Amino acid sequence: APCGRATCGATASLLRVPICSSFAALGCDCTGCCVVAPSPPPPAQCAAACLDSTCGALDLVLTCDQTSRLGCDCDGCCSQHSPYTPPPAPLPPAPPFPSPTHRDDSPPHAPPSTPGCSAPCGKSTCAATATLLQISACSEFEALGCDCVGCCATPSPP
């Protein structure tokens, strides 16, 4: 393929490591004649255990402050920025949650699809956080600083 006044192959021979971004900087599309630069490995702290997961997995959903609230040491792995963007339209109403047979000691389950579940929680939504951390009680969301009313179970009176 052409690249400036030469071909991609000729330009590649001039470059010691023909990385695609170098060709792109020259305005050339040399796909097939170049290599994509490898991504740097994640920091070692991303492999640290946090709950039943790792800091790296939780960093996709939670902020640094939230992993710290959970008692995890994810310094060096977590990032504060939030890739969350709200959904374009609210979801239709779902049946009431929790079901009459729900007990606080029952196993966690996927949250219902309600507008409360699409609310932001950390870097994601209440639904994604509930699924990843397997939580359903409103108090668990509140401990993370999330307002997931409508997506969480309030404790039944004793």
Side-chain angles (χ1 to χ4, degrees):
C3 181
R5 294 182 180 163
T7 64
C8 287
T11 305
S13 67
L14 296 174
L15 300 172
R16 293 180 190 254
V17 179
I19 296 181
C20 294
S21 60
S22 300
F23 288 103
L26 296 171
C28 305
D29 179 10
C30 294
T31 306
C33 287
C34 59
V35 294
V36 177
S39 300
Q45 190 61 26
C46 291
C50 180
L51 301 178
D52 290 334
S53 191
T54 64
C55 289
L58 294 178
D59 184 52
L60 299 173
V61 181
L62 302 177
T63 64
C64 301
D65 183 54
Q66 289 173 317
T67 56
S68 178
R69 288 182 192 185
L70 293 171
C72 301
D73 180 12
C74 295
D75 288 345
C77 178
C78 66
S79 56
Q80 287 290 6
H81 66 286
S82 172
Y84 173 77
T85 52
L91 300 170
F97 181 78
S99 67
T101 58
H102 177 78
R103 298 185 331 232
D104 284 339
D105 60 346
S106 64
H109 55 282
S113 293
T114 65
C117 291
S118 63
C121 180
K123 296 179 183 178
S124 190
T125 63
C126 292
T129 302
T131 301
L132 179 67
L133 298 179
Q134 297 196 356
I135 60 176
S136 60
C138 291
S139 61
E140 294 172 299
F141 286 102
E142 289 167 4
L144 293 171
C146 300
D147 180 6
C148 296
V149 172
C151 188
C152 57
T154 54
S156 303

